[in-house]
Amino acid sequence: MIALALLASYLAGSVPFGLLVARVAAGKDVRTVGSGNIGATNVARAAGRAAAAVTLLLDALKGLLPAAIAGRTLAEPWAPAACGVAAVIGHCYPVWLRFRGGKA
């Protein structure tokens, strides 16, 4: 059960919200603008402040939610922290972007 929670946390963390939000908001690939990073600061350059705020919120939630769910459903006291770390690893090395992603 823990392995499944860690995998799900990694996959949740690996969703490239900056790339998706910028594409929806401005039709741009944020990786080709400014620093090339998919984070909120570069999304602000590519798609504006509102898109950056949405990106920041979604990036924060993709770490918070797996940890919160693990805290409620798993018995091990270290599980929420482990799921949070797995989400951060997913954010830094997203499988969807060939393991090139955000900054921790």
Side-chain angles (χ1 to χ4, degrees):
M1 187 66 161
I2 293 292
L4 184 61
L6 292 172
L7 177 63
S9 297
Y10 169 81
L11 292 175
S14 70
V15 175
F17 284 119
L19 180 65
L20 299 174
V21 169
R23 190 169 290 163
V24 168
K28 295 181 180 176
D29 185 346
V30 73
R31 297 172 294 181
T32 63
V33 176
S35 68
N37 194 337
I38 62 170
T41 301
N42 208 38
V43 170
R45 288 184 195 108
R49 285 184 176 175
V54 170
T55 299
L56 185 62
L57 177 65
L58 291 173
D59 278 350
L61 287 175
K62 73 182 181 182
L64 175 69
L65 291 178
I69 292 169
R72 291 184 173 261
T73 59
L74 301 173
E76 291 78 2
W78 50 266
C83 287
V85 169
V88 170
I89 291 169
H91 178 76
C92 294
Y93 305 103
V95 66
W96 319 116
L97 298 178
R98 296 184 182 147
F99 302 104
R100 291 185 219 167
K103 297 176 185 173

